[in-house]
Amino acid sequence: MAPHGRSHTARYLLLSLMIGGSLVTAGCISPWTSKEVDEKQPSHEWDKVRMVGDLTVPGGLNTAVVKGVTLLTGLRGTGSDPPPSPARDLLLNEMRVREVDQPQMWMKNPNTALVMAEAVIPPGARKGDTIDVRILAPAETDTVSIEHGYAPETRLSEMAFLGGRPRTGNVVAKASGPVVLDSVVEGNSGKSNMTRGYILGGAVMEEERPLGLGLIEGQASIAASANIGTAINNRFYMYRNGSKQGVATPKTDKFIALDVHPLYEGNINRYMRVIRFIPIAQGTQFRRRHIIECEAELLQEETAQAGALKLEAVGKEGIPSLKKGLSSNSELVRFCSAESLAFLSDPACIEPLTEAARTHNGFRYRALVALGSFDDLDVIDSLEGLLHAESAEARYGAFDQLKKRSAVLPSVAGDLLENAVHMHLVRSASTPLVHFRLKDRPEIVIFGNEVRLEGDVAYIGPEGLTIRSDGHRKLRIVRFQPDGSELEQYCSSELKDVIKSLATIDCGYGEIVRTVFALRNEGYLNVRVEVNAMPRPDRKYVRTEELEASDSTEESVTENFTQSEEIPQPEESADVKTYADGDDALIPTFD
């Protein structure tokens, strides 16, 4: 990762050097000035160079880890005074820099705990983006639990230990916010899960992670860099302050910096693949022959994905060929064609992508991402139609894309509760569903109308929380305080009112999640409850007919469709499963 806080020139030079390190198999990058070049001979035979990827390798696609040390506050006697360690020294220095009074006294308080904070920065992250933060109490401390903990503003940077002492780089992100325990995220309240957790969306990027292309050995030259930049900018450009600008900026003979086109902001890997498929030769005859070859690849199931990406890289000229793919007998060819048409902003993609998101969990993630990239009112109608799907993934995935498009759309509008949790009520004709998000942000979505607690409620929870019936469809919620006082709320039996009341009496997001699952497990809430039922990119494509015959989603038929090396997971079961850890069983999980 390029050091932050330095000049842009230095950053790009460093990134280009990093790219060079990944070219071991191709050999070393040629020097800035080579005396061996025969000036009478052209450095490239452009009529033989077909695509950007023939001359370049991508840079900046790796993830980067940034770390920090902070002092959680707000614990309820479960913290500890950390023993001497490099982490303690680092925290004391940080507190002195921030002019905290009596830092040693703060550390001795049992309501505080020293913790390590860590965030994984994805490729293409921009200034202002939010990222989850991992929180961990070191094993050498006596901290019992970090529940109810709150992290003040914490600076995150690249960190290394040299000679047993921590060394930090420039600040990449700043983190703060309440902690959600691993016991909530993972569904198991084992001892170790009480000292680990996340701040959902807690880190805000201070800098951008640059993307770029490095020219491979033997191809680096000013002419090559300029020609590649021109080819890319003929395909991708943006408007800034009313001025048309290409996304590629040749910096040197070896490195081309790339801006991310808005259509691909949520799909950096696809963006880089499409760019590397852009043809460099601009002759009409060449492009015509190239499109014919790409169309032939598209219409063959074994090469459909590569063919679609190449036609997407061509641009508008590739649309007629992609539309031919929509008529294929192969569902994979139809899907790949529709997906590329979405990134070319052609409305012919809407119906097939919507159907793919509704019915095929192997296509669902990519179908929803593609629909989310396409700015068209008909897309909103299609996504709103998916809010009535039976699949929890399809339903919540559509909600997520609608919210990314506009949080004020009536179909996804919600409230910000007193504990900074977002709650949304979504009309849905399908089976009622309660969904908790435990990634990026604390969020509760209730699909359906009048989702409520039933029967004579008599719930006794941890930390002095009780929920009891108080008349017809009325509840009394009480939290007993350590000093003997009470926090009390009266509300209807509708789940939305119960959640609002819990937030009012100082229940954090994790506590609300556990309480709702406990109410369901005790029979007071007879609806489906899911956690992180989000479409996943790690599934492999299986033909529908084979899927129906085997009733399995783990078999891979077409390897070139797979996007991830992770083991593919099946779609969630309608019969929610829970951890079988005795009294520690808290929340359900997918298979």
PDB file of all heavy atoms in Angstrom, residues 25-44:
ATOM      1  N   THR A  25       7.384 -13.606 -12.446  1.00  0.00           N
ATOM      2  CA  THR A  25       7.314 -14.603 -13.516  1.00  0.00           C
ATOM      3  C   THR A  25       7.560 -13.979 -14.878  1.00  0.00           C
ATOM      4  O   THR A  25       7.957 -14.657 -15.816  1.00  0.00           O
ATOM      5  CB  THR A  25       5.944 -15.281 -13.514  1.00  0.00           C
ATOM      6  OG1 THR A  25       4.931 -14.287 -13.666  1.00  0.00           O
ATOM      7  CG2 THR A  25       5.718 -16.033 -12.216  1.00  0.00           C
ATOM      8  N   ALA A  26       7.305 -12.667 -14.974  1.00  0.00           N
ATOM      9  CA  ALA A  26       7.480 -12.021 -16.273  1.00  0.00           C
ATOM     10  C   ALA A  26       8.852 -11.389 -16.425  1.00  0.00           C
ATOM     11  O   ALA A  26       9.245 -10.994 -17.513  1.00  0.00           O
ATOM     12  CB  ALA A  26       6.411 -10.951 -16.465  1.00  0.00           C
ATOM     13  N   GLY A  27       9.581 -11.265 -15.313  1.00  0.00           N
ATOM     14  CA  GLY A  27      10.890 -10.625 -15.375  1.00  0.00           C
ATOM     15  C   GLY A  27      10.835  -9.221 -14.840  1.00  0.00           C
ATOM     16  O   GLY A  27       9.795  -8.735 -14.446  1.00  0.00           O
ATOM     17  N   CYS A  28      11.956  -8.536 -14.779  1.00  0.00           N
ATOM     18  CA  CYS A  28      12.036  -7.203 -14.193  1.00  0.00           C
ATOM     19  C   CYS A  28      11.529  -6.162 -15.183  1.00  0.00           C
ATOM     20  O   CYS A  28      11.634  -6.306 -16.389  1.00  0.00           O
ATOM     21  CB  CYS A  28      13.462  -6.877 -13.803  1.00  0.00           C
ATOM     22  SG  CYS A  28      14.133  -8.002 -12.552  1.00  0.00           S
ATOM     23  N   ILE A  29      10.999  -5.085 -14.616  1.00  0.00           N
ATOM     24  CA  ILE A  29      10.604  -3.955 -15.447  1.00  0.00           C
ATOM     25  C   ILE A  29      11.855  -3.346 -16.072  1.00  0.00           C
ATOM     26  O   ILE A  29      12.900  -3.224 -15.433  1.00  0.00           O
ATOM     27  CB  ILE A  29       9.886  -2.896 -14.588  1.00  0.00           C
ATOM     28  CG1 ILE A  29       8.559  -3.481 -14.066  1.00  0.00           C
ATOM     29  CG2 ILE A  29       9.633  -1.621 -15.346  1.00  0.00           C
ATOM     30  CD1 ILE A  29       7.527  -3.646 -15.135  1.00  0.00           C
ATOM     31  N   SER A  30      11.752  -2.946 -17.309  1.00  0.00           N
ATOM     32  CA  SER A  30      12.905  -2.334 -17.964  1.00  0.00           C
ATOM     33  C   SER A  30      13.241  -1.019 -17.300  1.00  0.00           C
ATOM     34  O   SER A  30      12.391  -0.372 -16.715  1.00  0.00           O
ATOM     35  CB  SER A  30      12.582  -2.090 -19.440  1.00  0.00           C
ATOM     36  OG  SER A  30      11.459  -1.247 -19.563  1.00  0.00           O
ATOM     37  N   PRO A  31      14.506  -0.583 -17.357  1.00  0.00           N
ATOM     38  CA  PRO A  31      14.917   0.662 -16.689  1.00  0.00           C
ATOM     39  C   PRO A  31      14.241   1.867 -17.312  1.00  0.00           C
ATOM     40  O   PRO A  31      13.660   1.798 -18.379  1.00  0.00           O
ATOM     41  CB  PRO A  31      16.429   0.667 -16.888  1.00  0.00           C
ATOM     42  CG  PRO A  31      16.662  -0.179 -18.090  1.00  0.00           C
ATOM     43  CD  PRO A  31      15.621  -1.250 -18.037  1.00  0.00           C
ATOM     44  N   TRP A  32      14.346   2.992 -16.588  1.00  0.00           N
ATOM     45  CA  TRP A  32      13.730   4.215 -17.092  1.00  0.00           C
ATOM     46  C   TRP A  32      14.284   4.576 -18.475  1.00  0.00           C
ATOM     47  O   TRP A  32      13.548   4.997 -19.357  1.00  0.00           O
ATOM     48  CB  TRP A  32      14.024   5.376 -16.119  1.00  0.00           C
ATOM     49  CG  TRP A  32      13.333   5.225 -14.817  1.00  0.00           C
ATOM     50  CD1 TRP A  32      13.731   4.503 -13.734  1.00  0.00           C
ATOM     51  CD2 TRP A  32      12.081   5.807 -14.461  1.00  0.00           C
ATOM     52  NE1 TRP A  32      12.807   4.607 -12.734  1.00  0.00           N
ATOM     53  CE2 TRP A  32      11.793   5.397 -13.145  1.00  0.00           C
ATOM     54  CE3 TRP A  32      11.176   6.644 -15.123  1.00  0.00           C
ATOM     55  CZ2 TRP A  32      10.643   5.792 -12.476  1.00  0.00           C
ATOM     56  CZ3 TRP A  32      10.025   7.035 -14.456  1.00  0.00           C
ATOM     57  CH2 TRP A  32       9.759   6.610 -13.153  1.00  0.00           C
ATOM     58  N   THR A  33      15.570   4.424 -18.657  1.00  0.00           N
ATOM     59  CA  THR A  33      16.184   4.718 -19.961  1.00  0.00           C
ATOM     60  C   THR A  33      17.039   3.527 -20.349  1.00  0.00           C
ATOM     61  O   THR A  33      17.934   3.129 -19.618  1.00  0.00           O
ATOM     62  CB  THR A  33      17.068   5.969 -19.896  1.00  0.00           C
ATOM     63  OG1 THR A  33      16.277   7.052 -19.416  1.00  0.00           O
ATOM     64  CG2 THR A  33      17.617   6.307 -21.254  1.00  0.00           C
ATOM     65  N   SER A  34      16.718   2.927 -21.485  1.00  0.00           N
ATOM     66  CA  SER A  34      17.461   1.739 -21.906  1.00  0.00           C
ATOM     67  C   SER A  34      18.327   2.071 -23.109  1.00  0.00           C
ATOM     68  O   SER A  34      17.839   2.546 -24.127  1.00  0.00           O
ATOM     69  CB  SER A  34      16.492   0.609 -22.256  1.00  0.00           C
ATOM     70  OG  SER A  34      17.204  -0.492 -22.772  1.00  0.00           O
ATOM     71  N   LYS A  35      19.629   1.829 -22.991  1.00  0.00           N
ATOM     72  CA  LYS A  35      20.532   2.089 -24.109  1.00  0.00           C
ATOM     73  C   LYS A  35      20.495   0.981 -25.141  1.00  0.00           C
ATOM     74  O   LYS A  35      21.067   1.111 -26.214  1.00  0.00           O
ATOM     75  CB  LYS A  35      21.962   2.248 -23.578  1.00  0.00           C
ATOM     76  CG  LYS A  35      22.125   3.437 -22.638  1.00  0.00           C
ATOM     77  CD  LYS A  35      23.557   3.562 -22.156  1.00  0.00           C
ATOM     78  CE  LYS A  35      23.728   4.755 -21.227  1.00  0.00           C
ATOM     79  NZ  LYS A  35      25.103   4.885 -20.725  1.00  0.00           N
ATOM     80  N   GLU A  36      19.812  -0.129 -24.806  1.00  0.00           N
ATOM     81  CA  GLU A  36      19.791  -1.262 -25.718  1.00  0.00           C
ATOM     82  C   GLU A  36      18.700  -1.143 -26.770  1.00  0.00           C
ATOM     83  O   GLU A  36      18.634  -1.925 -27.696  1.00  0.00           O
ATOM     84  CB  GLU A  36      19.595  -2.561 -24.921  1.00  0.00           C
ATOM     85  CG  GLU A  36      20.732  -2.820 -23.937  1.00  0.00           C
ATOM     86  CD  GLU A  36      20.485  -4.072 -23.129  1.00  0.00           C
ATOM     87  OE1 GLU A  36      19.453  -4.741 -23.383  1.00  0.00           O
ATOM     88  OE2 GLU A  36      21.301  -4.402 -22.266  1.00  0.00           O
ATOM     89  N   VAL A  37      17.787  -0.179 -26.619  1.00  0.00           N
ATOM     90  CA  VAL A  37      16.680  -0.031 -27.556  1.00  0.00           C
ATOM     91  C   VAL A  37      17.204   0.513 -28.885  1.00  0.00           C
ATOM     92  O   VAL A  37      17.914   1.516 -28.924  1.00  0.00           O
ATOM     93  CB  VAL A  37      15.604   0.921 -26.990  1.00  0.00           C
ATOM     94  CG1 VAL A  37      14.520   1.161 -28.029  1.00  0.00           C
ATOM     95  CG2 VAL A  37      15.011   0.336 -25.726  1.00  0.00           C
ATOM     96  N   ASP A  38      16.835  -0.155 -29.940  1.00  0.00           N
ATOM     97  CA  ASP A  38      17.220   0.298 -31.273  1.00  0.00           C
ATOM     98  C   ASP A  38      16.220   1.365 -31.704  1.00  0.00           C
ATOM     99  O   ASP A  38      15.060   1.064 -31.990  1.00  0.00           O
ATOM    100  CB  ASP A  38      17.194  -0.878 -32.254  1.00  0.00           C
ATOM    101  CG  ASP A  38      17.677  -0.462 -33.639  1.00  0.00           C
ATOM    102  OD1 ASP A  38      17.910   0.746 -33.848  1.00  0.00           O
ATOM    103  OD2 ASP A  38      17.820  -1.356 -34.497  1.00  0.00           O
ATOM    104  N   GLU A  39      16.644   2.623 -31.724  1.00  0.00           N
ATOM    105  CA  GLU A  39      15.731   3.716 -32.006  1.00  0.00           C
ATOM    106  C   GLU A  39      15.159   3.642 -33.411  1.00  0.00           C
ATOM    107  O   GLU A  39      14.175   4.288 -33.722  1.00  0.00           O
ATOM    108  CB  GLU A  39      16.442   5.048 -31.794  1.00  0.00           C
ATOM    109  CG  GLU A  39      16.859   5.271 -30.330  1.00  0.00           C
ATOM    110  CD  GLU A  39      17.521   6.609 -30.146  1.00  0.00           C
ATOM    111  OE1 GLU A  39      17.683   7.328 -31.161  1.00  0.00           O
ATOM    112  OE2 GLU A  39      17.887   6.956 -29.004  1.00  0.00           O
ATOM    113  N   LYS A  40      15.785   2.852 -34.293  1.00  0.00           N
ATOM    114  CA  LYS A  40      15.267   2.753 -35.657  1.00  0.00           C
ATOM    115  C   LYS A  40      14.092   1.790 -35.745  1.00  0.00           C
ATOM    116  O   LYS A  40      13.369   1.781 -36.735  1.00  0.00           O
ATOM    117  CB  LYS A  40      16.385   2.286 -36.605  1.00  0.00           C
ATOM    118  CG  LYS A  40      17.561   3.256 -36.689  1.00  0.00           C
ATOM    119  CD  LYS A  40      18.628   2.735 -37.625  1.00  0.00           C
ATOM    120  CE  LYS A  40      19.800   3.687 -37.691  1.00  0.00           C
ATOM    121  NZ  LYS A  40      20.867   3.192 -38.612  1.00  0.00           N
ATOM    122  N   GLN A  41      13.938   0.965 -34.717  1.00  0.00           N
ATOM    123  CA  GLN A  41      12.859  -0.005 -34.724  1.00  0.00           C
ATOM    124  C   GLN A  41      11.739   0.464 -33.795  1.00  0.00           C
ATOM    125  O   GLN A  41      12.000   0.941 -32.703  1.00  0.00           O
ATOM    126  CB  GLN A  41      13.365  -1.377 -34.250  1.00  0.00           C
ATOM    127  CG  GLN A  41      14.411  -1.990 -35.163  1.00  0.00           C
ATOM    128  CD  GLN A  41      13.835  -2.314 -36.522  1.00  0.00           C
ATOM    129  OE1 GLN A  41      12.674  -2.687 -36.640  1.00  0.00           O
ATOM    130  NE2 GLN A  41      14.656  -2.161 -37.559  1.00  0.00           N
ATOM    131  N   PRO A  42      10.482   0.315 -34.190  1.00  0.00           N
ATOM    132  CA  PRO A  42       9.380   0.685 -33.291  1.00  0.00           C
ATOM    133  C   PRO A  42       9.370  -0.241 -32.081  1.00  0.00           C
ATOM    134  O   PRO A  42       9.706  -1.415 -32.180  1.00  0.00           O
ATOM    135  CB  PRO A  42       8.120   0.468 -34.162  1.00  0.00           C
ATOM    136  CG  PRO A  42       8.541  -0.518 -35.203  1.00  0.00           C
ATOM    137  CD  PRO A  42       9.992  -0.233 -35.465  1.00  0.00           C
ATOM    138  N   SER A  43       9.016   0.326 -30.909  1.00  0.00           N
ATOM    139  CA  SER A  43       9.017  -0.459 -29.676  1.00  0.00           C
ATOM    140  C   SER A  43       7.837  -1.414 -29.616  1.00  0.00           C
ATOM    141  O   SER A  43       7.836  -2.316 -28.796  1.00  0.00           O
ATOM    142  CB  SER A  43       8.983   0.469 -28.458  1.00  0.00           C
ATOM    143  OG  SER A  43       7.829   1.294 -28.504  1.00  0.00           O
ATOM    144  N   HIS A  44       6.816  -1.203 -30.452  1.00  0.00           N
ATOM    145  CA  HIS A  44       5.635  -2.074 -30.430  1.00  0.00           C
ATOM    146  C   HIS A  44       5.088  -2.244 -31.829  1.00  0.00           C
ATOM    147  O   HIS A  44       5.130  -1.337 -32.644  1.00  0.00           O
ATOM    148  CB  HIS A  44       4.534  -1.488 -29.535  1.00  0.00           C
ATOM    149  CG  HIS A  44       4.935  -1.408 -28.111  1.00  0.00           C
ATOM    150  ND1 HIS A  44       4.963  -2.489 -27.277  1.00  0.00           N
ATOM    151  CD2 HIS A  44       5.357  -0.350 -27.372  1.00  0.00           C
ATOM    152  CE1 HIS A  44       5.378  -2.113 -26.086  1.00  0.00           C
ATOM    153  NE2 HIS A  44       5.625  -0.831 -26.120  1.00  0.00           N
TER     154      HIS A  44
END
